[in-house]
Amino acid sequence: GGEERGRARGPSVLFVHPDFGVGGAERLVLDAALALQSRGCRVQVWTAHYDPGHCFSESRELQVHCAGDWLPRSLGWGGRGAALCSYVRMVYLALYILLLSGEEMDVIVCDQVSACIPVFRLARHRKKILFYCHFPDLLLTQRNSFLKRLYRAPIDWVEEYTTGMADCIVVNSSFTANVFKNTFKSLTHINPDVLYPSLNVSSFDNVVPSDLDNLIPKGKKFVFLSINRYERKKNLTLALEALLELRGRLDLQDWEKIHLIMAGGYDERVLENVEYYKELKNTVNQFDLSHHVTFLKSFSDTQKISLLHNCTCVLYTPSNEHFGIVPVEAMYMQCPVIAVNSGGPLESIVDNVTGFLCEPDPTQFSKAMEKFIRDPSLKATMGSAGRVRVKEKFSLEAFTDQLYQYISKLTE
């Protein structure tokens, strides 16, 4: 009867995520939710912050619920205590789901903040929990002062302890898996599985790219593109310094054909975005590069695809990036990538085949950039190798199969 019909519909899965915006973590949660929905799971996403105007367009295909946005994001000036506030918001969200939402679910998938796991453990009927670890949060902050160390100690302990309470732990790269093992010393018995983020290629295939006439001056033949949020850890200055070095390597005629587009997620609520953007603009003026650099703040998926379609090569500047979806998107759009030789890009990019892996050094980057100018056919050969690579290693099918397997195992 009804019981069997319910079973046939597949397990119900509830995703819990702190802030459902437009970063790589959000893209992954969205792809995971849509993937399970396509396999017949009943899926919903719960978050503390959701703005339909500042999110991926496909998130409208999901049930997204919001609770706890009235709680503060940080304690006063300069964004302090953000980690603590994030914990409080997520614990509130978890309590809300259990006590007030009336929702039933078989599996809870949470990521970024593990502090909500013990709350779900309190449920009368024990829920299965999958924790997707993009990166141990405790490594993402500097501890320069004694006070900061004091403040972080319990938070770090809670992170390690609560992460260990998940039924299944999955990470986004082998790089992150190693960091996980070296960071959470009490969890040595856990071997996290690697589930690479996938690329939602249908969203790329369905877009007809437009040209960049309105973005860059006429006569530019070589367009380099940096895509990264306006955050200091993304090291965007490296792209500007590499461009400056490149100028010294080219004659005037070639230099006039060069342009760099700095595109990145930008949120007025985030102080660092605002400050860093100003700093980068100042650097451009200082280097006298303003005729060769265009800044783009927050762009649509369609614009991103047009950018990738029209550019010579992507400059990917962060070091120790945990995974980094941008190189994968670029390779799929047959656009080579110059990236720093650490972290996730070591697993996504094949050096000298789909792009170049360099030291985080302007000279190295500019040498790699110069190769595309000296040999204009390089883009096409590296570009097609990149697309093959993405189809082999980062397809949505592989991602969906693997994820669905985790869910099935948990609900056996």
Side-chain angles (χ1 to χ4, degrees):
E3 178 61 24
E4 262 167 24
R5 257 205 319 281
R7 274 270 156 75
R9 279 221 311 259
S12 58
V13 182
L14 191 142
F15 285 82
V16 186
H17 184 77
D19 182 338
F20 206 41
V22 292
E26 288 70 44
R27 181 72 246 182
L28 185 122
V29 171
L30 176 58
D31 286 338
L34 292 170
L36 291 177
Q37 196 164 273
S38 75
R39 283 292 166 91
C41 295
R42 285 164 295 159
V43 173
Q44 37 181 321
V45 177
W46 282 76
T47 176
H49 178 81
Y50 178 61
D51 169 4
H54 190 71
C55 67
F56 294 107
S57 48
E58 298 100 315
S59 65
R60 300 191 183 98
E61 297 165 33
L62 291 166
Q63 281 189 324
V64 181
H65 305 274
C66 200
D69 206 9
W70 53 272
L71 288 159
R73 287 172 163 278
S74 60
L75 305 170
W77 177 80
R80 283 173 196 235
L84 185 64
C85 289
S86 184
Y87 271 34
V88 170
R89 285 164 75 98
M90 289 305 280
V91 166
Y92 173 84
L93 182 61
L95 285 166
Y96 186 94
I97 292 166
L98 279 186
L99 303 174
L100 299 172
S101 73
E103 296 293 348
E104 274 302 315
M105 71 303 281
D106 302 314
V107 180
I108 290 156
V109 179
C110 63
D111 69 312
Q112 280 182 339
V113 180
S114 54
C116 57
I117 297 176
V119 179
F120 291 119
R121 278 267 172 278
L122 299 171
R124 267 202 313 253
H125 307 292
R126 204 180 140 183
K127 315 285 179 233
K128 291 291 188 182
I129 296 163
L130 185 149
F131 182 66
Y132 191 95
C133 175
H134 305 274
F135 208 66
D137 180 64
L138 63 92
L139 295 179
L140 299 179
T141 46
Q142 306 292 311
R143 293 172 176 58
N144 303 332
S145 66
F146 172 69
L147 268 178
K148 180 81 180 210
R149 282 199 295 276
L150 201 64
Y151 157 73
R152 280 300 311 203
I155 293 181
D156 295 348
W157 180 84
V158 166
E159 184 184 4
E160 181 160 342
Y161 186 73
T162 55
T163 298
M165 294 170 98
D167 297 292
C168 173
I169 298 174
V170 182
V171 292
N172 59 357
S173 66
S174 305
F175 172 70
T176 302
N178 285 330
V179 171
F180 183 97
K181 288 189 110 44
N182 296 331
T183 306
F184 296 138
K185 294 280 190 262
S186 70
L187 305 182
T188 43
H189 58 288
I190 294 175
N191 280 319
D193 267 21
V194 176
L195 173 63
Y196 285 119
S198 75
L199 197 59
N200 188 342
V201 293
S202 61
S203 63
F204 286 74
D205 297 338
N206 298 337
V207 169
V208 180
S210 51
D211 49 33
L212 304 180
D213 286 350
N214 53 350
L215 267 184
I216 55 174
K218 288 265 177 289
K220 298 286 191 179
K221 193 174 163 211
F222 301 101
V223 180
F224 295 97
L225 170 67
S226 158
I227 299 186
N228 257 311
R229 283 195 305 279
Y230 287 98
E231 289 173 6
R232 288 187 185 88
K233 68 172 183 208
K234 300 295 188 184
N235 196 13
L236 300 173
T237 323
L238 176 58
L240 299 176
E241 290 170 345
L243 185 67
L244 187 65
E245 290 255 345
L246 185 65
R247 178 165 72 184
R249 294 170 172 278
L250 302 176
D251 57 30
L252 196 59
Q253 204 181 353
D254 279 337
W255 170 244
E256 285 309 315
K257 297 179 195 159
I258 308 287
H259 204 77
L260 169 64
I261 298 175
M262 301 288 285
Y266 181 92
D267 188 337
E268 264 119 39
R269 297 175 306 160
V270 181
L271 184 66
E272 186 184 11
N273 287 179
V274 180
E275 289 178 347
Y276 195 39
Y277 176 73
K278 276 191 195 138
E279 281 170 37
L280 292 164
K281 282 221 86 120
N282 289 342
T283 306
V284 166
N285 294 333
Q286 243 176 316
F287 290 170
D288 190 27
L289 291 172
S290 43
H291 296 305
H292 294 266
V293 180
T294 301
F295 284 97
L296 259 190
K297 291 195 283 200
S298 299
F299 41 88
S300 67
D301 287 354
T302 311
Q303 276 175 307
K304 176 174 70 182
I305 290 164
S306 300
L307 287 167
L308 289 168
H309 178 77
N310 287 293
C311 78
T312 309
C313 161
V314 162
L315 306 181
Y316 196 65
T317 51
S319 291
N320 294 323
E321 182 62 48
H322 321 143
F323 175 71
I325 196 73
V326 169
V328 180
E329 294 175 332
M331 290 189 299
Y332 185 75
M333 291 300 296
Q334 303 188 34
C335 180
V337 187
I338 302 171
V340 175
N341 57 358
S342 63
L346 290 175
E347 294 167 60
S348 53
I349 297 163
V350 185
D351 192 24
N352 286 312
V353 179
T354 70
F356 296 106
L357 293 164
C358 307
E359 291 294 318
D361 162 71
T363 311
Q364 296 284 319
F365 260 67
S366 66
K367 277 182 182 164
M369 290 160 80
E370 190 184 4
K371 287 179 184 164
F372 291 101
I373 296 151
R374 303 289 178 225
D375 175 8
S377 69
L378 192 59
K379 173 186 156 66
T381 42
M382 285 194 150
S384 47
R387 174 163 278 208
V388 170
R389 169 101 180 138
V390 173
K391 285 184 157 169
E392 279 173 5
K393 200 159 180 189
F394 303 105
S395 76
L396 191 60
E397 290 72 45
F399 174 82
T400 305
D401 287 344
Q402 204 181 330
L403 182 61
Y404 187 67
Q405 229 176 333
Y406 294 138
I407 299 295
S408 308
K409 257 196 199 137
L410 287 173
T411 51
E412 265 168 15

